[in-house]
Amino acid sequence: MFDLVVKNGRIVSGNEIKKANVYVKNGKIVRISDEDLEAKHVDDVNNAFVIPGGIDPHCHFRDPGAAYKEDFSHGTAAAAVGGMTTVFDMPNTNPAVLDNKSFIYKRNYFADKAFVDYGLWGLSLGDLNLNTLDEIKQAGGVGIKFFWGYAINKATNALIYNYEPGQNGVIPPLDDGEVYKIFERIADNGHVLAIHAENNELISMLTKRVRENGENDYEALLKARPTLAEVLTIQTAIAFSQATGAHLHILHVTSGMGVDLIREAKAKNINVTAETCTHYLFLSDKDYGKIGSGMKVYPPIKRESDRLALWEGLKDGTLDYVSSDHAPHAVREKQGDLFEIPSGMCGVETTLPLMLNEVSKGKITLPFLVRILSEKAAGLYKIDDRKGAVKVGNDADLVVLDMNRKQKILNKNLHSKEPFTAFDGFDITGWPQRTYLRGILIAGDGEILNKPEGKFLRANY
Ligand code: DOR
Ligand code: ZN
């Protein structure tokens, strides 16, 4: 006897939509067919679309270390309600994930807090942990994150956004020689090196210049952190990937020029993949007047022409998938001078609704959505034997959609600890209705319906 059947759904894969019943046993999809068979639980979805649970590979759940901004149980509850059944946590927590010991620590620390399944990133600090990167891969880490151009607080591993040379208690940004060694190591062990691409030397000089002029509007932020900063680092990174063979993943691409560089690199068969994030696809500098400092993220949201180029890059496969860069701060921290306030916002709960709204508008199709929110990330991070598609043998991570539901995104309805996005008040048609994680109904109608039963997920490189 089956544990569950999700019946009469229109099942969406990366290339088609098929009417079928999905049968589940022991958390796995065991049969997909139009037969009417007995199961302990029957969920007749009455012709609704059913997609594989979303994968959000780029989340900062802040826990442990800055749990006043977000914590793992709130963050993964937000994921569950938002139709994301797999999340990867970024490693710049305190303690940071630097070796096997800190990896296991976080893995265990999350064990009773997770509402969805989770993978873990490791962090590169250059020479300081070059010799423990292999351990992170062996422990099942999804990849290694490198904050190129950032200084790091020695005591807390917090990123330093406004580094000045000579600052005390700080690991300064690495030089290119040190960075090259990270690429060599990743080439050697076959893992993924994911980078934050912004050139610090340029940003430092330009920030000083605009601050001295007393400028502090959005134009000033774009002058201080221009597309050129992204382009410089992407160029160097691609050259390093070409020279070493390391799998380079470029995080949160924001510009048309960035997309062009990645497109060229892929055409030359350089080992590069890339993502963009929801806010770069739905916002541009034109929105600053309406939204204000709440839309500050790093790298900053650029021009309307960049936004359109990112959609083009996503559609032609230059950009592999979309993540949220879920990076909450306390709501009160997000008010104030644009240059002083922290960058980042919630995103794990609003990515799928924003994309479903594009489907409702006829701008993208559901199979395309499944590719960029589930399928491609599963393949890239070696979890596609369990995640990313509604297919026999995979985990029964299923999201039932309600494409008729019209509702605004409201910050006050989010499940994060500090519920703040730039999308407050956005009209959305099409919402995740119910979320199953390994056959367990974990969320429905915008609420959590189960205790935390998410599990650590190993990337099988
Ligand atoms: O806006 C951002 N916030 N960009 C980053 O790269 C880091 C993140 C954070 O952790 O706050
Ligand atoms: Zn990030």
Side-chain angles (χ1 to χ4, degrees):
M1 170 101 97
F2 302 105
D3 297 330
L4 168 72
V5 57
V6 175
K7 204 169 157 177
N8 296 319
R10 281 181 281 173
I11 314 300
V12 186
S13 74
N15 47 37
E16 59 176 359
I17 301 178
K18 250 188 11 210
K19 189 94 194 273
N21 304 328
V22 180
Y23 293 92
V24 178
K25 197 171 172 64
N26 298 327
K28 295 277 182 191
I29 297 167
V30 289
R31 198 182 187 110
I32 301 173
S33 75
D34 53 12
E35 299 156 279
D36 199 358
L37 305 169
E38 228 182 305
K40 281 184 220 153
H41 295 279
V42 178
D43 182 355
D44 188 339
V45 305
N46 197 13
N47 221 29
F49 292 107
V50 177
I51 60 172
I55 299 173
D56 192 340
H58 190 158
C59 297
H60 300 263
F61 289 116
R62 312 289 195 209
D63 193 10
Y68 74 95
K69 293 175 190 260
E70 179 70 303
D71 61 31
F72 202 61
S73 51
H74 281 85
T76 55
V81 171
M84 296 287 161
T85 50
T86 300
V87 294
F88 298 167
D89 187 54
M90 280 295 170
N92 55 320
T93 41
N94 186 15
V97 179
L98 300 173
D99 52 20
N100 185 59
K101 189 164 167 253
S102 46
F103 191 97
I104 302 294
Y105 173 81
K106 193 190 252 187
R107 176 191 163 155
N108 293 337
Y109 174 77
F110 282 173
D112 60 351
K113 300 176 176 67
F115 284 95
V116 300
D117 288 351
Y118 58 97
L120 298 179
W121 287 95
L123 180 69
S124 169
L125 296 179
D127 286 354
L128 287 177
N129 73 332
L130 209 50
N131 292 326
T132 54
L133 296 186
D134 290 359
E135 293 178 4
I136 296 170
K137 175 169 176 260
Q138 277 150 20
V142 295
I144 298 297
K145 167 89 180 258
F146 174 54
F147 289 90
W148 202 318
Y150 278 73
I152 294 182
N153 182 311
K154 261 189 196 154
T156 64
N157 293 307
L159 300 177
I160 295 174
Y161 294 96
N162 304 308
Y163 169 72
E164 291 185 9
Q167 238 171 298
N168 283 331
V170 161
I171 304 165
L174 306 190
D175 67 34
D176 284 354
E178 291 169 305
V179 177
Y180 187 70
K181 283 194 269 181
I182 309 172
F183 276 78
E184 285 180 325
R185 181 52 56 101
I186 296 293
D188 191 50
N189 76 9
H191 216 183
V192 175
L193 183 63
I195 63 155
H196 180 117
E198 280 187 300
N199 179 283
N200 174 65
E201 287 155 32
L202 186 73
I203 287 171
S204 292
M205 182 279 287
L206 292 171
T207 302
K208 199 156 166 258
R209 184 185 282 173
V210 298
R211 295 302 272 166
E212 278 168 6
N213 284 341
E215 301 172 50
N216 69 346
D217 57 3
Y218 200 74
E219 275 305 305
L221 191 74
L222 288 186
K223 272 193 224 163
R225 301 185 86 99
T227 293
L228 180 59
E230 176 166 279
V231 162
L232 284 176
T233 303
I234 290 179
Q235 279 176 330
T236 308
I238 287 173
F240 282 6
S241 167
Q242 186 172 25
T244 59
H247 179 169
L248 164 68
H249 180 73
I250 302 169
L251 298 161
H252 45 48
V253 177
T254 70
S255 67
M257 283 177 79
V259 172
D260 290 343
L261 290 169
I262 296 159
R263 191 179 284 119
E264 276 169 35
K266 284 190 167 185
K268 289 187 206 150
N269 286 321
I270 298 171
N271 196 1
V272 54
T273 54
E275 68 181 40
T276 189
C277 310
T278 331
H279 34 266
Y280 304 117
L281 292 168
F282 291 95
L283 302 171
S284 72
D285 61 328
K286 289 199 308 198
D287 295 298
Y288 187 72
K290 195 169 65 221
I291 295 172
S293 57
M295 68 181 247
K296 180 182 175 185
V297 292
Y298 282 168
I301 292 163
K302 307 280 186 336
R303 311 288 182 193
E304 184 63 11
S305 56
D306 292 301
R307 191 181 78 79
L308 297 173
L310 291 168
W311 274 109
E312 282 310 307
L314 199 56
K315 287 185 177 169
D316 72 16
T318 300
L319 301 173
D320 292 81
Y321 64 81
V322 174
S323 74
S324 73
D325 198 359
H326 182 78
H329 296 282
V331 175
R332 67 183 148 72
E333 292 175 315
K334 289 291 288 179
Q335 263 98 52
D337 180 271
L338 187 57
F339 278 78
E340 302 299 332
I341 62 170
S343 57
M345 66 176 91
C346 293
V348 72
E349 191 170 347
T350 44
T351 297
L352 178 57
L354 283 161
M355 286 294 176
L356 289 175
N357 193 51
E358 292 302 290
V359 174
S360 298
K361 290 195 298 193
K363 295 276 175 66
I364 60 172
T365 66
L366 279 170
F368 176 75
L369 176 145
V370 164
R371 289 203 292 280
I372 59 166
L373 293 185
S374 302
E375 215 178 74
K376 287 189 140 185
L380 203 157
Y381 296 105
K382 312 294 183 213
I383 55 170
D384 52 341
D385 54 337
R386 288 149 288 162
K387 303 294 188 189
V390 181
K391 68 171 192 221
V392 171
N394 266 20
D395 290 349
D397 298 346
L398 305 169
V399 180
V400 182
L401 303 179
D402 179 356
M403 293 309 288
N404 296 317
R405 185 165 140 210
K406 290 186 201 303
Q407 200 179 309
K408 283 184 194 306
I409 290 175
L410 293 175
N411 283 347
K412 69 177 174 62
N413 291 344
L414 299 177
H415 291 73
S416 280
K417 199 164 182 178
E418 291 286 339
F420 187 89
T421 76
F423 302 111
D424 192 49
F426 273 50
D427 287 304
I428 299 289
T429 302
W431 286 82
Q433 215 285 325
R434 293 195 282 296
T435 308
Y436 287 94
L437 175 71
R438 288 179 274 99
I440 309 163
L441 184 63
I442 58 168
D445 282 323
E447 293 307 325
I448 284 291
L449 300 175
N450 192 57
K451 59 189 193 303
E453 288 195 67
K455 288 186 185 158
F456 168 71
L457 192 63
R458 223 191 125 77
N460 288 330
Y461 283 90

